Amino acid sequence: MSSLREQRYAIKFCVRLNKTATNTYEDIKQAFGDDAMSRASCFRWFKDFKEGREDPELQGGYGAPVTALTEEIINTAVEMIKTDRRLTVRHIAELLDISVGSAHTILKDNLNMSRVCARWIPRLLTPEQKQNRVDVCLEWKRFVEEDRDWWKSLITANESWVYQYDPAMKIQSTEWVEKNEGRPKKARATKSANKAMVITFFDYKGMVYTHSVPRGQKINGDYYKQVLATLMNDHISRKRPELRGNWKLHHDNARPHIAHVVTEYLAKRNIKVVPHPPYSPELALCDLFLFPTAKKELKGRRFDSEQDAVKALEVILKNMSKDGFSNIFQAW
């Protein structure tokens, strides 16, 4: 800033010496090097001093014509940006009747603004949903305060598609080549149309129940209630007898999960449901840990049927490290 101030005084001095604008710019460039103002700025200031301007001090910012940096124009630009933040610099310049460079200087130097792209996120939450998140976190906090090991009585659930063929990830296609060899080529592949829905239930010790949904079966509240009944009557009593009558269920807010028939059934069985914040896949253990880990081993493999793919998934889930389940629950 001080360098530009010195240059304006130097330009005024050159005008007093009756130098030309070109010679003045050459002197400025020689004296200030890379910090020298642009040729256009130098010529503008030279013209202003030639026409009788006396004050070298800049009012409102540096780098733009003084006439474009009046308080009125800057305030008008502020109101325009508040009204429409997608205005381009050129459009702002046209509306204010100033040059594009002046408009850019007002935005960058006076208003300290820059144009950025919006960041894509899965969903914009409403104020009610944000408050719901706070309420859920406070309830989780109460669980911790009451019992540090409350998660050991928790069973979490979710659904996911299993494809008869799921293309390998890019990193799975890497291979060793010599320095002079070209990069290998691979045709782009897509997921198969044949797929099966799988509902999984697990706790910190491992898998409790894996349910394959028959083809064509719609997952609604009534069907999910039947799956929960099978979980409680057959699998918990056999695999987790210590949890009978004393366990909590965690699942997301999918419609079958929050259907009235399901909530009523769980209430009658005195099953505590741990609430899930709206649109929070990072807090759904199946999305965070189970499915990404297990499906990675299925990618790139072709199965004769979707049932074979489900069986392969069940084997993978059964053989997953017990420490992995415990660690992810503690991290969660």
Side-chain angles (χ1 to χ4, degrees):
M1 188 68 176
S2 60
S3 173
L4 292 175
R5 186 168 178 265
E6 293 174 6
Q7 292 177 57
R8 294 195 294 273
Y9 277 94
I11 293 172
K12 182 180 179 181
F13 182 72
C14 290
V15 171
R16 293 285 183 89
L17 294 178
N18 293 322
K19 288 192 174 185
T20 64
T22 301
N23 291 336
T24 299
Y25 175 66
E26 291 175 352
D27 291 343
I28 292 293
K29 193 173 181 181
Q30 181 179 357
F32 294 92
D34 294 337
D35 294 329
M37 65 174 63
S38 67
R39 179 185 177 92
S41 296
C42 180
F43 274 48
R44 276 201 307 270
W45 280 103
F46 186 92
K47 180 175 178 295
D48 287 347
F49 291 129
K50 193 77 173 177
E51 292 176 351
R53 178 181 174 83
E54 292 294 334
D55 186 10
E57 297 296 335
L58 188 61
Q59 301 171 0
Y62 74 91
V66 176
T67 55
L69 293 172
T70 63
E71 185 176 352
E72 180 182 359
I73 289 180
I74 293 173
N75 292 336
T76 303
V78 171
E79 295 302 321
M80 291 168 57
I81 293 296
K82 288 182 178 179
T83 303
D84 184 1
R85 290 185 175 271
R86 294 189 176 182
L87 286 173
T88 63
V89 176
R90 188 171 297 279
H91 195 187
I92 293 173
E94 292 176 357
L95 293 174
L96 293 176
D97 194 24
I98 60 178
S99 68
V100 173
S102 298
H104 187 271
T105 299
I106 291 175
L107 292 168
K108 181 180 178 182
D109 299 327
N110 293 88
L111 304 183
N112 194 28
M113 302 183 75
S114 59
R115 193 176 180 89
V116 297
C117 294
R119 180 168 62 91
W120 289 108
I121 59 176
R123 186 181 180 90
L124 292 173
L125 299 182
T126 64
E128 293 77 13
Q129 290 169 334
K130 292 179 180 179
Q131 183 59 46
N132 191 342
R133 277 189 162 212
V134 175
D135 295 339
V136 168
C137 290
L138 290 175
E139 186 165 351
W140 286 17
K141 184 180 178 182
R142 285 194 293 270
F143 290 151
V144 176
E145 291 172 349
E146 294 173 1
D147 181 8
R148 299 291 299 182
D149 293 331
W150 69 279
W151 48 272
K152 290 186 177 181
S153 61
L154 184 73
I155 294 179
T156 187
N158 210 344
E159 304 87 16
S160 183
W161 288 108
V162 178
Y163 294 86
Q164 187 172 332
Y165 173 73
D166 195 358
M169 296 184 296
K170 186 175 181 180
I171 193 171
Q172 292 176 296
S173 302
T174 58
E175 56 185 78
W176 292 104
V177 297
E178 296 182 2
K179 289 186 177 180
N180 296 329
E181 287 185 275
R183 297 181 63 180
K185 296 180 180 179
K186 182 179 179 180
R188 184 182 296 274
T190 57
K191 296 179 180 179
S192 63
N194 295 334
K195 57 185 179 180
M197 176 67 74
V198 172
I199 306 176
T200 58
F201 299 85
F202 69 95
D203 64 359
Y204 79 102
K205 292 182 179 180
M207 297 304 303
V208 179
Y209 178 35
T210 302
H211 176 81
S212 178
V213 180
R215 178 184 289 188
Q217 173 63 51
K218 182 178 180 180
I219 302 181
N220 52 25
D222 290 325
Y223 186 80
Y224 188 60
K225 172 187 170 183
Q226 297 175 17
V227 176
L228 289 174
T230 303
L231 168 71
M232 286 185 273
N233 297 331
D234 299 337
H235 296 273
I236 291 182
S237 59
R238 179 165 48 90
K239 296 181 180 179
R240 301 290 188 271
E242 69 277 8
L243 294 181
R244 281 186 298 183
N246 186 31
W247 64 282
K248 306 177 185 69
L249 175 65
H250 170 256
H251 50 204
D252 60 22
N253 301 309
R255 289 188 177 182
H257 300 167
I258 60 175
H260 178 70
V261 64
V262 173
T263 56
E264 187 179 57
Y265 175 76
L266 293 171
K268 287 181 178 180
R269 299 293 295 268
N270 295 319
I271 303 301
K272 173 70 176 179
V273 177
V274 176
H276 185 80
Y279 303 102
S280 304
E282 74 279 5
L283 292 176
L285 284 168
C286 291
D287 295 332
L288 175 67
F289 160 71
L290 190 72
F291 293 138
T293 304
K295 286 187 174 183
K296 185 177 180 180
E297 297 189 37
L298 296 179
K299 289 184 176 293
R301 296 172 59 182
R302 294 185 182 273
F303 299 95
D304 295 333
S305 65
E306 57 265 34
Q307 289 77 20
D308 290 342
V310 172
K311 290 179 182 178
L313 175 66
E314 291 175 346
V315 172
I316 294 171
L317 294 176
K318 184 178 180 180
N319 294 329
M320 286 180 66
S321 169
K322 305 303 179 185
D323 291 338
F325 288 98
S326 178
N327 292 338
I328 193 63
F329 265 91
Q330 294 184 57
W332 179 76

